[in-house]
Amino acid sequence: APLDFTVRSAANNGTLWNGSIFDSSNTAELAQILTNGTADDAVLIQTVLTRAGQTPNSTVVLPTGTFLLGSTISLPSRTRLVGAGMDQTILRPRDVATFNGQALILSDGGGRTSTSTLFENFTLHSGYNPLGPTDPLYTGGIGHVARFFSQTDVTFRNVRFDARVDDAVFVDNGNRTTFESCEFIGATPLFANNSRQFFVNDCDFYLTNNGGAGVGNWGGEQTSITNSRAQSLDTSDPTRQANWGLRFFVNAHGGRFKYLGANHTQNLGYAPGFGDNMGENFLWEGATSVFAGRATSGSASTVTIQNGPTGVDFASGRYYVTIVQGQGIGQNRRVTAATVNGTTVTLTLESPL
């Protein structure tokens, strides 16, 4: 019988944002942040986000201004956070030394896991120190400006992530994470670990502090990076590393189904005299075999091998079984677990995609 399927709206992350709208004209807390001065805005913004989460598909609109956060903010499921534009709405730490949290925007699975969230039209600034005339590198700041763990359907559109010292954005075990028309500034400004359906389109990457890559991608699968651009932030001064970076994309620890197309790079490479790895815009590494041989038996979801590897963290999701000869050649499945009995290793495999 034919399969039923639904085509989701790419423009709105599959969500129709037809819930309540919270802005400074109808929400006291958002009106208050306009006159809050140097006080902490995080509690006021989080109060509104939590209230918006009680009505699915609601939107919270941040006005023009620079808003100071003393702690992390998190979006409930099916909630959208919208600013007035990259240069108009800026979120940054109130005080880096006392900031409470791992990032300005965090969803870590510890009671803050959410699905179907959209972030749009603002800047996240890490609070790094301004670069002095003789400083070799950027310093300071809180590190990540956005950090996500085990999230599903998270979209960023027209957002600037400015960290300069560290990874600006860290996505860990994400599922369907999209960055569209965003701007990243940092040493490795976008890093994804073991994530699936990770999409980057029409984005700009500006590397700093002799950073290793615009996009770091460890493991994972179904990655697409298209129509994007990468360069060192500013190569006018070859004596300082602060505004230079090396590569566009680094893939490590395996993974599969990764597509890069219609991207452009310029002025990438270590500052002269600070490294010898020049002109390498793309790097694949760490995809080594831990076993090669014949299976002794198998089922719909397992493969058993003799004298297989021990001490390997198969539950990490970074290992795959591939048929390289005979019937089924070319097929591969991700390993999700392993049972070891003496020299016999039984691998549990993920269901086919």
Side-chain angles (χ1 to χ4, degrees):
L3 297 175
D4 293 330
F5 67 95
T6 301
V7 178
R8 306 191 324 156
S9 167
N12 292 305
N13 195 18
T15 301
L16 182 63
W17 299 103
N18 57 359
S20 301
I21 297 176
F22 299 81
D23 60 27
S24 57
S25 70
N26 62 17
T27 307
E29 291 88 351
L30 296 179
Q32 185 177 341
I33 64 174
L34 289 171
T35 59
N36 219 19
T38 59
D40 183 5
D41 296 316
V43 173
L44 294 170
I45 294 173
Q46 187 62 61
T47 297
V48 180
L49 290 172
T50 301
R51 189 183 308 149
Q54 297 171 4
T55 304
N57 306 341
S58 289
T59 298
V60 174
V61 180
L62 295 178
T64 296
T66 297
F67 305 109
L68 306 178
L69 307 184
S71 58
T72 288
I73 62 173
S74 300
L75 262 66
S77 294
R78 304 186 76 83
T79 305
R80 177 172 62 164
L81 180 63
V82 179
M86 278 189 193
D87 298 321
Q88 286 74 41
T89 302
I90 300 170
L91 302 177
R92 60 176 297 152
R94 179 172 179 265
D95 184 337
V96 170
T98 61
F99 183 81
N100 181 21
Q102 300 179 51
L104 294 176
I105 294 176
L106 174 68
S107 201
D108 64 358
R112 289 179 286 213
T113 298
S114 57
T115 62
S116 299
T117 52
L118 174 61
F119 303 81
E120 204 168 10
N121 297 334
F122 56 85
T123 285
L124 297 173
H125 190 294
S126 72
Y128 58 83
N129 298 320
L131 191 66
T134 60
D135 293 337
L137 297 170
Y138 288 100
T139 61
I142 60 170
H144 308 298
V145 293
R147 190 173 178 117
F148 291 86
F149 296 81
S150 302
Q151 299 304 291
T152 299
D153 287 326
V154 176
T155 297
F156 287 90
R157 185 179 297 118
N158 197 41
V159 175
R160 177 184 293 128
F161 307 93
D162 192 354
R164 308 217 178 184
V165 178
D166 206 337
D167 305 340
V169 182
F170 181 34
V171 180
D172 192 7
N173 282 281
N175 187 34
R176 296 196 298 273
T177 308
T178 301
F179 297 89
E180 180 80 26
S181 302
C182 291
E183 184 177 297
F184 300 83
I185 309 173
T188 301
L190 177 57
F191 183 82
N193 177 58
N194 201 30
S195 295
R196 306 179 71 180
Q197 297 192 13
F198 180 76
F199 307 121
V200 177
N201 183 61
D202 188 33
C203 291
D204 289 284
F205 296 87
Y206 299 95
L207 273 68
T208 60
N209 276 19
N210 263 348
V215 183
N217 198 213
W218 282 23
E221 58 188 43
Q222 302 165 51
T223 295
S224 174
I225 303 176
T226 55
N227 305 306
S228 295
R229 301 150 295 275
Q231 66 179 71
S232 295
L233 180 62
D234 181 3
T235 58
S236 61
D237 185 351
T239 67
R240 292 201 295 179
Q241 308 168 65
N243 292 319
W244 291 67
L246 179 56
R247 304 179 189 91
F248 176 41
F249 178 81
V250 171
N251 184 88
H253 301 287
R256 60 178 179 168
F257 308 141
K258 302 197 176 185
Y259 174 78
L260 283 74
N263 300 297
H264 175 78
T265 65
Q266 66 179 22
N267 293 338
L268 283 175
Y270 282 132
F274 292 100
D276 58 4
N277 201 344
M278 304 295 289
E280 180 183 76
N281 283 191
F282 302 90
L283 172 64
W284 261 259
E285 64 179 4
T288 57
S289 299
V290 296
F291 175 81
R294 293 181 178 274
T296 58
S297 64
S299 69
S301 60
T302 64
V303 169
T304 299
I305 55 179
Q306 292 293 330
N307 300 316
T310 58
V312 177
D313 182 15
F314 287 110
S316 69
R318 292 178 177 154
Y319 294 90
Y320 298 82
V321 171
T322 302
I323 300 174
V324 297
Q325 184 177 344
Q327 186 176 357
I329 186 170
Q331 296 182 31
N332 71 40
R333 302 264 290 276
R334 182 158 63 169
V335 179
T336 58
T339 301
V340 180
N341 184 8
T343 61
T344 302
V345 179
T346 299
L347 305 174
T348 302
L349 307 181
E350 190 175 54
S351 298
L353 295 173

